Amino acid sequence: MVKELKVNLLPAKTFRYLKVNDTKLDLSGFEFNKPEKRTASKIKKAFDNVSTGMGKDLDTFVSEYAEKKFVRVTSGKERKIYISNLSQINQYLFMVETEGKLTVTIENSGDKDLSGISAKFILAPNSKAKLIAVQTLKRKGTYFLDVGSNVADNSVFEFVNVVLGGEKNYVGCNASLSGEKSSFVCDTGYICKEKQSLDINYRADQIAKKTQSRINVSGVLGKGGSKTFRGTIDFKVGSSGSVGGETEDVLTIGDEVINKSVPLILCGEEDVEGQHGATIGSLSDEILYYMNSRGIDKPTAIRMAAHASVMRTASGIDDKKLVARIEKEIDKTVQSE
Amino acid sequence: MPDKSKIVETDRSLYDFRYEENAKDYHREKSGITREIVENISKEKDDPEWMREFRLHCLEIYNRTDMPDWGPDTSGLDMNQIAAYVRHKAKMQSDWEDVPEEIKNTFERLGIPQAERLSLAGVGAQYDSELVYHNLRKEVAETGVVYTDLESAMKGEYEEMIKTHFMKLVPPTDHRYAALHGAVWSGGSFVYVPKGVKVDIPLQSYFRLNAAGAGQFEHTLIIVDEGADLHFIEGCSAPKYNVANLHAGCVELYVAKNAKLRYSTIENWSKNMYNLNTKRAIVEENGIMEWVSGSFGSHVSYLYPTTILHGANSKMEYTGITFSGAGQDLDTGAKVIHQAPNTTSVMASKSIAKDGGIGTFRSSVVINSKAVNSKASVSCDSLMLDSISRADTIPAMDIRTDKADVGHEARIGRISDEAVYYLMSRGIKEADARALIVSGFADSVSKELPLEYAVEMNNLIKLEMNGNM
């Protein structure tokens, strides 16, 4: 019987009183059945080497209880996949061969008590994969999205993540940049309010030479919202010439918020450049005054800023209809603030 | 261009020396931490009863408290091999001429009496577990400033004041080494600056741990009363041994309304030292706390000066530099807790890692729901001088109000080849060019120190850099 899983582990632990070294994913109220269909052992073995952001406990659980869907993009081909019909626990395994291109869009909406997704990617040299995950569930229940990728020479893994619904939300993403000149680009936008929580763990393992990573997280915390962001850029020995950066912007628009941020840069290599920047706070009086002088009142100015904060992430999505749906959902969410 | 070459050990003879001592002149408790040892220390120090009970209470907490599961490896520290109390049999003096010869020579060589004559309002010098010298300039004493050893103060007119403040900011339950400190503490200073008194030149305490396989557990308690102003400097060093030494001191600082305290540390323990020190300040309304910290020595360091901004409009600033060389794992940084409205904190840290050293910047900024309109800024720059070293930054923020303004930035990188090339094109040797760039990198810290200490810090940087080319 599954009860609690330890997830989103910080790669380098810190002060215990902050309670950010990991978090608990409580699955004790749910029932799970093992799938009848088994995945070919060759495929399973290949993807066992892909570490995910939420960690081993969850990965083992998903491997046991989720029915796996395997997608291969053959050399030089391009595929676009749209997924919306999700069961309770889902696992997708994507293999992109040399010079292949893959875009996966997962749109998760509706009224669910538990919705869990695991997505793993193996990218061969010179390939590209982009995962777009949009979650607009009703503000109840538990949601998790656990992503992992192994990225070979000259390949790029992109992750665009928008989280607007659910009540207890957990997201993890790990990119192992084991190929020279491989890249990881991650953009996340969220709104959390009224008992909603979001726990994030992103990690770029920069293993090979001249790798690049960029992690951007931008979101809005309304009254009663809670967010924990862990972001790690890990320059391993041998990653010379690599560059990594992470930025976080949090706009607070209500009181009783809990806002935790732990942006790590771990560095075992001399010839690298890593940086992190964060801004956390409400709209400054100067901005509000300026907006007011242009005829925009305070509530409208706050709604505009909140809208812009999340839409920054959504702008990385090519599907215009999906962007329009996200925009509508953002407006609905910030309207009530 | 000359090739880089490595010298494993730099010349540290300025600090790493030891004069001959006669064991008969010293009292040394047996190694380990037991009730018997704690009671012996209490008896040696002629503690008041409340302190004896407090020590035993701390020992109980120590025995049931686990080690933190984060930070550098401390498995090389075996408490059964550490003597918690070592003291010279001579009494504390207020004239250097009366201090035993070998101890006086040690401090002379470290430049302490000279510094006292030139630029200090008062000096405390601790050798192993006890103070051997304490003096305050007459004109400063006449303003009502108290600067004395903690043991004397505890038995005299300041007993109640000490009872009220001692280990109240750092309770023994804080962590395992805070409990250990409470059980075996010895030495350290008590400073009281009365209302409105501004001490123009700094006070300094210097700690020397000369005994092999020993611990130093001094306690510094400073109370800066309303509207008062003080700069306190702390220095420390030790000769290197092949066995582990332990420093688990404790610093408690009380900064009253409208008061200001600057606490500067140049830490240069030997590279067999486990430096598990705890420093904490509480700041009342409009008060200012400033930390200036240079960490150069120790084998392992856990050091995060903490500030509690308790009064509205109170402020803290932390400026620190850490230099990690071969065999060193220095985990340093700062912590701040904003508890009141309109409070401000600024942390600026620099760290340099070379020759396989590990430098970690670790910080914690907590802004609670009452601390509306507070501001916090954290910046951390790390410089890697080779690819066998490590530089990690582990900052954390926990913000519980929507009305706060928090900024954080961190950068990790190497010395730019272009900058070295430019300096070399102006006739500067590569080694000097690199040392110059590192000194410039550390400039924001050295300019916060009095001139003599800035010079000492720059000398330490040069000393470390000499081994790098």
Side-chain angles (χ1 to χ4, degrees):
Chain A
M1 192 67 193
V2 180
K3 286 187 177 172
E4 269 189 349
L5 301 174
K6 197 190 270 191
V7 298
N8 286 355
L9 286 78
L10 201 63
K13 286 183 181 181
T14 191
F15 307 118
R16 288 186 280 200
Y17 65 88
L18 291 165
K19 297 187 168 61
V20 292
N21 287 329
D22 54 59
T23 194
K24 298 277 191 303
L25 171 60
D26 184 3
L27 297 174
S28 58
F30 304 100
E31 279 189 20
F32 303 98
N33 299 312
K34 291 186 180 176
E36 287 169 15
K37 210 171 128 186
R38 298 192 63 178
T39 315
S41 64
K42 228 178 172 179
I43 295 168
K44 191 180 174 303
K45 205 173 171 188
F47 282 93
D48 278 349
N49 293 325
V50 180
S51 301
T52 60
M54 290 185 68
K56 271 219 155 74
D57 273 15
L58 183 71
D59 198 28
T60 307
F61 164 77
V62 170
S63 297
E64 206 170 328
Y65 290 102
E67 197 170 294
K68 292 160 192 62
K69 296 182 178 72
F70 174 63
V71 175
R72 184 194 299 269
V73 180
T74 51
S75 281
K77 299 287 182 199
E78 182 171 358
R79 281 188 75 175
K80 289 187 178 180
I81 297 168
Y82 176 80
I83 300 163
S84 64
N85 187 19
L86 293 153
S87 47
Q88 196 178 39
I89 305 291
N90 311 269
Q91 186 169 49
Y92 298 93
L93 307 172
F94 301 102
M95 188 173 278
V96 187
E97 294 182 346
T98 311
E99 293 179 352
K101 277 187 184 173
L102 170 69
T103 303
V104 180
T105 303
I106 302 175
E107 194 173 358
N108 194 357
S109 59
D111 185 355
K112 294 167 188 168
D113 291 327
L114 173 66
S115 180
I117 304 160
S118 161
K120 289 185 170 188
F121 295 78
I122 295 176
L123 276 73
N126 301 310
S127 65
K128 192 174 175 183
K130 183 171 184 176
L131 170 65
I132 299 165
V134 178
Q135 191 262 78
T136 55
L137 291 163
K138 283 205 168 174
R139 282 205 294 274
K140 56 172 276 202
T142 300
Y143 163 77
F144 69 80
L145 171 62
D146 190 22
V147 181
S149 61
N150 282 1
V151 190
D153 292 359
N154 299 307
S155 293
V156 181
F157 178 62
E158 271 188 77
F159 177 39
V160 178
N161 185 24
V162 178
V163 182
L164 299 174
E167 187 182 345
K168 292 173 186 165
N169 298 302
Y170 305 83
V171 179
C173 180
N174 183 78
S176 293
L177 302 177
S178 50
E180 280 191 25
K181 296 182 183 172
S182 56
S183 308
F184 171 52
V185 181
C186 173
D187 284 291
T188 291
Y190 64 87
I191 298 177
C192 272
K193 60 180 216 175
E194 293 162 10
K195 292 185 189 169
Q196 273 183 299
S197 64
L198 172 60
D199 196 284
I200 302 172
N201 191 34
Y202 290 157
R203 179 172 179 168
D205 276 346
Q206 304 199 218
I207 300 160
K209 288 180 181 171
K210 295 182 180 173
T211 57
Q212 288 192 32
S213 71
R214 183 167 59 78
I215 299 170
N216 301 324
V217 177
S218 175
V220 181
L221 282 179
K223 184 180 168 74
S226 166
K227 181 254 2 173
T228 299
F229 166 63
R230 301 174 196 81
T232 303
I233 293 173
D234 192 350
F235 293 110
K236 306 282 190 190
V237 175
S239 64
S240 61
S242 293
V243 178
E246 44 182 338
T247 60
E248 190 193 11
D249 292 301
V250 184
L251 176 66
T252 48
I253 59 170
D255 55 8
E256 295 166 33
V257 296
I258 299 176
N259 179 21
K260 297 185 184 184
S261 300
V262 199
L264 310 189
I265 302 179
L266 309 176
C267 184
E269 179 61 50
E270 175 199 15
D271 180 18
V272 294
E273 281 177 41
Q275 51 186 306
H276 170 265
T279 54
I280 299 163
S282 51
L283 277 188
S284 70
D285 288 345
E286 288 79 14
I287 291 174
L288 288 171
Y289 178 79
Y290 175 80
M291 300 288 258
N292 199 246
S293 72
R294 295 290 180 273
I296 300 164
D297 63 11
K298 189 177 171 182
T300 310
I302 290 172
R303 278 200 295 274
M304 282 169 67
H307 180 274
S309 177
V310 186
M311 281 309 291
R312 194 186 303 172
T313 301
S315 64
I317 301 171
D318 295 331
D319 183 341
K320 299 297 170 207
K321 286 182 183 167
L322 178 58
V323 174
R325 287 200 293 276
I326 293 169
E327 199 159 12
K328 199 174 157 191
E329 192 66 28
I330 294 168
D331 287 342
K332 204 165 77 184
T333 310
V334 296
Q335 207 62 248
S336 53
E337 283 298 322
Chain B
M1 191 183 287
D3 289 335
K4 280 187 189 179
S5 59
K6 288 206 175 68
I7 300 166
V8 174
E9 280 292 325
T10 52
D11 175 15
R12 296 180 58 88
S13 58
L14 182 62
Y15 304 95
D16 191 4
F17 63 89
R18 188 170 184 260
Y19 291 109
E20 278 305 307
E21 289 172 347
N22 189 341
K24 281 185 195 163
D25 294 335
Y26 289 82
H27 168 82
R28 183 180 174 120
E29 278 297 325
K30 60 185 173 189
S31 299
I33 304 295
T34 62
R35 186 182 172 98
E36 183 197 349
I37 289 168
V38 172
E39 285 193 326
N40 284 349
I41 294 171
S42 187
K43 203 171 163 189
E44 271 288 323
K45 301 178 78 65
D46 193 21
D47 278 344
E49 185 55 23
W50 66 267
M51 181 53 78
R52 194 189 77 88
E53 282 171 14
F54 180 76
R55 285 181 188 276
L56 294 172
H57 171 62
C58 289
L59 179 65
E60 278 173 32
I61 296 168
Y62 168 74
N63 285 333
R64 65 168 190 252
T65 308
D66 64 349
M67 280 295 294
D69 58 353
W70 51 269
D73 178 21
T74 54
S75 59
L77 176 64
D78 178 359
M79 286 310 299
N80 293 320
Q81 304 299 322
I82 296 288
Y85 187 75
V86 182
R87 74 164 170 85
H88 195 281
K89 287 175 181 166
K91 286 188 174 158
M92 188 181 75
Q93 303 297 335
S94 58
D95 186 333
W96 280 110
E97 292 310 312
D98 301 328
V99 173
E101 197 66 16
E102 78 275 12
I103 298 178
K104 189 179 75 179
N105 289 343
T106 299
F107 284 107
E108 286 277 359
R109 192 157 165 186
L110 291 164
I112 307 305
Q114 299 91 313
E116 182 185 10
R117 284 192 294 274
L118 285 172
S119 56
L120 295 169
V123 162
Q126 178 158 338
Y127 197 82
D128 296 332
S129 298
E130 294 289 358
L131 281 145
V132 291
Y133 174 84
H134 224 290
N135 191 32
L136 180 65
R137 279 193 192 184
K138 194 170 162 246
E139 63 270 27
V140 181
E142 280 169 0
T143 63
V145 172
V146 178
Y147 180 37
T148 183
D149 64 300
L150 199 57
E151 286 89 341
S152 313
M154 197 169 61
K155 290 168 201 158
E157 60 178 307
Y158 299 102
E159 182 175 1
E160 273 312 305
M161 195 184 269
I162 288 166
K163 212 170 168 180
T164 312
H165 293 90
F166 185 84
M167 292 203 79
K168 294 294 189 289
L169 260 185
V170 182
T173 47
D174 206 59
H175 57 83
R176 185 171 164 86
Y177 289 94
L180 174 65
H181 174 90
V184 299
W185 77 271
S186 176
S189 300
F190 169 64
V191 181
Y192 173 71
V193 186
K195 280 183 185 177
V197 172
K198 294 187 191 314
V199 185
D200 293 329
I201 46 177
L203 300 178
Q204 184 185 23
S205 282
Y206 198 94
F207 304 103
R208 177 77 176 177
L209 180 51
N210 235 48
Q216 194 170 64
F217 305 92
E218 86 288 350
H219 194 99
T220 303
L221 175 60
I222 300 178
I223 299 167
V224 186
D225 216 332
E226 217 174 301
D229 191 330
L230 174 71
H231 183 184
F232 191 88
I233 300 174
E234 176 190 72
C236 33
S237 68
K240 188 175 178 182
Y241 294 104
N242 291 325
V243 293
N245 274 27
L246 169 64
H247 176 236
C250 181
V251 174
E252 294 183 290
L253 311 173
Y254 293 83
V255 182
K257 190 177 169 182
N258 299 319
K260 182 181 172 188
L261 173 60
R262 171 173 281 211
Y263 196 95
S264 301
T265 306
I266 303 281
E267 183 269 291
N268 191 29
W269 293 117
S270 56
K271 293 180 180 176
N272 60 316
M273 181 70 83
Y274 286 80
N275 183 32
L276 313 174
N277 210 9
T278 309
K279 297 178 178 180
R280 196 162 296 167
I282 187 163
V283 190
E284 301 301 338
E285 195 179 334
N286 295 316
I288 299 173
M289 178 68 220
E290 295 174 345
W291 303 94
V292 181
S293 176
S295 294
F296 295 89
S298 299
H299 169 52
V300 164
S301 245
Y302 280 70
L303 186 61
Y304 327 98
T306 303
T307 311
I308 300 165
L309 296 173
H310 186 252
N313 304 308
S314 54
K315 294 183 174 69
M316 83 74 103
E317 250 184 66
Y318 167 85
T319 310
I321 186 158
T322 299
F323 203 123
S324 317
Q328 291 184 284
D329 191 345
L330 307 185
D331 203 302
T332 60
K335 301 195 263 184
V336 62
I337 302 158
H338 292 250
Q339 291 185 336
N342 305 311
T343 48
T344 305
S345 65
V346 178
M347 293 182 199
S349 162
K350 306 265 185 179
S351 78
I352 301 158
K354 70 169 193 74
D355 291 346
I358 303 171
T360 302
F361 169 74
R362 191 183 298 273
S363 67
S364 157
V365 174
V366 175
I367 300 183
N368 74 20
S369 58
K370 288 178 187 162
V372 291
N373 301 321
S374 289
K375 289 179 179 159
S377 158
V378 180
S379 80
C380 169
D381 288 332
S382 301
L383 199 54
M384 292 275 288
L385 298 186
D386 55 47
S387 55
I388 54 168
S389 305
R390 277 201 73 83
D392 296 336
T393 67
I394 309 179
M397 292 159 271
D398 183 345
I399 319 297
R400 305 287 176 120
T401 172
D402 58 320
K403 294 173 191 70
D405 193 354
V406 180
H408 172 264
E409 55 179 2
R411 278 180 297 273
I412 285 182
R414 63 193 292 219
I415 292 179
S416 127
D417 288 340
E418 287 80 8
V420 175
Y421 180 78
Y422 174 80
L423 290 170
M424 288 172 72
S425 74
R426 293 292 180 271
I428 298 170
K429 287 181 190 164
E430 188 188 352
D432 294 340
R434 287 181 178 271
L436 200 62
I437 291 166
V438 172
S439 286
F441 181 75
D443 189 51
S444 61
V445 182
S446 58
K447 76 181 182 195
E448 295 295 330
L449 291 165
L451 185 63
E452 300 76 13
Y453 299 90
V455 170
E456 188 193 347
M457 201 187 88
N458 282 331
N459 284 339
L460 280 167
I461 290 171
K462 274 186 201 156
L463 190 68
E464 297 292 344
M465 288 302 292
N466 278 343
N468 195 47
M469 294 298 300

